[in-house]
Amino acid sequence: YKDETVSWIEKSPEHIRNWARDINYSGQIVGAVSERIGTNSIHKVFIYSDGVMQIIDKNAGTAGIVKNNDHNQIIFSTAYTSSEGQKPYIYQNGELTNLNDLIDPEFRNAGWYFKSALEINNKGQIIGQASFRGENRGVILSPPPVSNYIKVGNITTFGDTVILQGNEITLTGEAITTQGGEITFDGATTVDGNLIIDSSVTEDEVI
């Protein structure tokens, strides 16, 4: 639904039905499609952006939990099978990665196994379910820390979202300008010099 108009996400002839599960700030929609294989059907993840549907060739399971964030990072879990169990994935920059491959080897070797991914935020933190020594536990999987210090000059955006993330952010330029987009400072932000901020800028930090 956009501009008071309802639009259908068209499915391919080989797909029985589809479900939209999440949408991010840029309008990227993710979900699952049902595809018949013989007498059975499986769910595969789709990405829908700018009127084009892309299918990720993995069985997304009957629950169809598919989530994305504003950086177009997409998470989902495959259906459980007796031979492979259930596997959680992240799709980013055109690559599909099993989340267990991103766990610190120390934890993986100790017996931790990430089973399912449920949600992802704009910091790339993922919540889900993991098993450890036969017990299921809720966990948070966090990416490596971002750079502690960022120094940046002038910032201009023409409708896109810009997020600067760091423990310390120093603005050294003369102007921050946006024409329809959001600029967010996620961290302690200071100004080094004379800075003019356009009135349409959205700030998370008061500077």
Side-chain angles (χ1 to χ4, degrees):
Y1 182 82
K2 183 179 180 181
D3 299 329
E4 300 184 353
T5 301
V6 176
S7 301
W8 294 100
I9 300 177
E10 297 294 337
K11 60 183 179 66
S12 300
E14 66 269 22
H15 297 146
I16 305 170
R17 59 182 66 88
N18 54 25
W19 301 266
R21 295 301 191 191
D22 206 359
I23 184 172
N24 66 13
Y25 183 85
S26 64
Q28 181 197 66
I29 300 171
V30 296
V33 297
S34 179
E35 182 176 316
R36 187 169 300 282
I37 305 295
T39 58
N40 300 316
S41 62
I42 63 171
H43 296 150
K44 293 183 178 180
V45 173
F46 76 76
I47 305 168
Y48 186 83
S49 183
D50 297 325
V52 178
M53 179 180 285
Q54 175 187 352
I55 302 296
I56 300 176
D57 192 19
K58 287 288 182 182
N59 188 349
T62 57
I65 296 177
V66 185
K67 297 289 184 176
N68 62 346
N69 63 15
D70 291 338
H71 306 300
N72 296 337
Q73 295 175 303
I74 302 164
I75 59 163
F76 66 95
S77 301
T78 60
Y80 176 84
T81 64
S82 58
S83 60
E84 296 186 354
Q86 189 177 31
K87 295 181 179 180
Y89 286 90
I90 182 169
Y91 183 84
Q92 56 185 343
N93 301 322
E95 295 185 0
L96 190 63
T97 305
N98 188 321
L99 287 174
N100 285 287
D101 295 336
L102 303 179
I103 297 177
D104 188 315
E106 180 180 350
F107 289 94
R108 191 166 60 242
N109 294 337
W112 284 95
Y113 180 78
F114 206 78
K115 296 175 63 178
S116 62
L118 302 176
E119 186 63 270
I120 184 170
N121 64 17
N122 284 336
K123 294 183 178 181
Q125 295 174 309
I126 300 169
I127 60 171
Q129 187 180 68
S131 63
F132 179 66
R133 297 178 180 176
E135 294 185 0
N136 291 331
R137 304 187 183 188
V139 295
I140 299 176
L141 187 63
S142 297
V146 297
S147 174
N148 289 332
Y149 184 80
I150 298 175
K151 182 178 289 187
V152 63
N154 294 341
I155 303 174
T156 303
T157 177
F158 297 92
D160 293 325
T161 298
V162 175
I163 300 177
L164 296 179
Q165 219 172 34
N167 291 341
E168 297 180 15
I169 303 170
T170 302
L171 304 176
T172 62
E174 298 179 351
I176 293 179
T177 305
T178 176
Q179 297 183 20
E182 285 191 0
I183 300 175
T184 300
F185 306 110
D186 185 359
T189 306
T190 58
V191 176
D192 183 7
N194 297 319
L195 181 66
I196 298 174
I197 301 178
D198 185 276
S199 60
S200 61
V201 173
T202 298
E203 302 171 65
D204 275 2
E205 295 287 341
V206 177
I207 59 175

